[in-house]
Amino acid sequence: MSIENATFQFLQDLDENNNRDWFAEQKQRFLAAQNNAKNVFATIHGNLQKHDQIETSKMMRIYRDVRFSNDKTPYKPHFANSFSRLGKELRGGYFIRIKPGASLVAGGFWEPNKEDLHRIRQEIAQDATDIKAILNDPTYQQYFGGKFECFEELKTAPRGFDKEHPELDLLRKKGFIAQRNFTDAEVLSENFIAEVDNTFKALRPFFDLFSDILTTNLNGESIL
């Protein structure tokens, strides 16, 4: 099981011909490519279940909601899937996107609710040692570059936090994501699914720490 060249070619062609007439003419190519991606995501889901507990697996629709988007093209030229961990004790989620020139695997906390985000910031403000240990871990550095990806940050410290705090770069983040990019050659290789699973396994120390933070108070007492 692997991503097929025909699937990649369809996505490339869609990116160049992102309109409804072309898509309607290519419907059979789309269905074949979608089925290939769906089978790959199902295999990845099965692998995840061997070392984590997954509540939901959801393949994203290719149809773009253009009502509130600046991008008015009707289709997303990629296939993507999310995997949510099970229960209140296991926090975080996994994500994969297959897109020519921009494929990636990620995991973490994309847009945590305000209570979770505040709790993470409290932990950072009190003692960021454990979080920084994750970022400095050789395995995390190998797979994710030793950083959290965040596409939206505050310009200064959040309200109620020290503007001169030594960990201001962490406090300003609105999300905490580990991300690994894949080349097209890597996506099309026979060991891609195995490498995705290895990447997801490398997220566990990050998930375990943040799950512990989000299920306890500052004294380390359970809040569940």
Side-chain angles (χ1 to χ4, degrees):
M1 176 59 58
S2 61
I3 293 293
E4 299 170 357
N5 283 293
T7 298
F8 237 53
Q9 188 61 56
F10 168 77
L11 292 174
Q12 288 178 320
D13 292 345
L14 175 59
D15 195 29
E16 297 171 0
N17 304 274
N18 202 326
N19 62 78
R20 290 180 175 82
D21 289 342
W22 182 90
F23 191 83
E25 294 173 357
Q26 304 295 322
K27 191 64 175 290
Q28 292 307 310
R29 288 182 65 199
F30 160 65
L31 292 174
Q34 181 187 52
N35 189 60
N36 174 222
K38 186 180 297 184
N39 288 336
V40 167
F41 295 154
T43 302
I44 291 170
H45 182 203
N47 289 340
L48 263 175
Q49 292 280 35
K50 296 175 183 178
H51 55 84
D52 203 348
Q53 299 179 61
I54 304 301
E55 184 171 34
T56 59
S57 172
K58 180 180 180 181
M59 186 172 180
M60 310 302 180
R61 289 168 53 85
I62 202 168
Y63 307 99
R64 188 189 304 280
D65 184 352
V66 301
R67 292 175 298 171
F68 309 107
S69 174
N70 292 327
D71 186 347
K72 298 303 181 182
T73 53
Y75 309 105
K76 308 169 194 172
H78 64 256
F79 291 118
N81 202 95
S82 64
F83 310 89
S84 299
R85 302 179 79 213
L86 177 64
K88 294 181 179 179
E89 298 86 356
L90 301 180
R91 299 300 187 90
Y94 304 91
F95 179 78
I96 180 172
R97 181 180 73 194
I98 304 299
K99 181 178 181 179
S103 296
L104 60 86
V105 164
F109 304 82
W110 178 257
E111 292 180 338
N113 62 48
K114 63 179 182 180
E115 293 81 13
D116 283 354
L117 182 56
H118 182 71
R119 176 65 187 90
I120 294 169
R121 286 171 171 166
Q122 283 183 314
E123 192 73 19
I124 293 168
Q126 176 174 276
D127 186 358
T129 301
D130 290 340
I131 293 175
K132 293 181 72 174
I134 293 293
L135 297 175
N136 292 326
D137 179 79
T139 300
Y140 189 91
Q141 291 190 345
Q142 174 189 348
Y143 283 94
F144 308 112
K147 62 181 179 178
F148 292 131
E149 298 288 348
C150 182
F151 302 102
E152 188 174 2
E153 298 184 351
L154 298 173
K155 294 181 179 180
T156 185
R159 182 178 299 178
F161 291 87
D162 183 2
K163 294 181 179 180
E164 304 299 326
H165 196 283
E167 305 303 337
L168 183 60
D169 60 329
L170 291 174
L171 288 172
R172 291 171 51 234
K173 294 185 181 300
K174 291 187 176 182
F176 299 84
I177 300 293
Q179 178 177 306
R180 178 186 177 187
N181 299 321
F182 283 80
T183 67
D184 293 354
E186 289 171 330
V187 173
L188 294 170
S189 69
E190 294 182 357
N191 69 338
F192 174 61
I193 289 178
E195 195 57 30
V196 169
D197 196 52
N198 289 336
T199 306
F200 283 157
K201 286 178 180 177
L203 283 167
R204 282 304 294 277
F206 167 36
F207 278 163
D208 290 345
L209 174 61
F210 273 61
S211 293
D212 182 66
I213 292 171
L214 292 171
T215 56
T216 60
N217 60 26
L218 278 173
N219 294 320
E221 300 163 333
S222 176
I223 58 174
L224 296 180

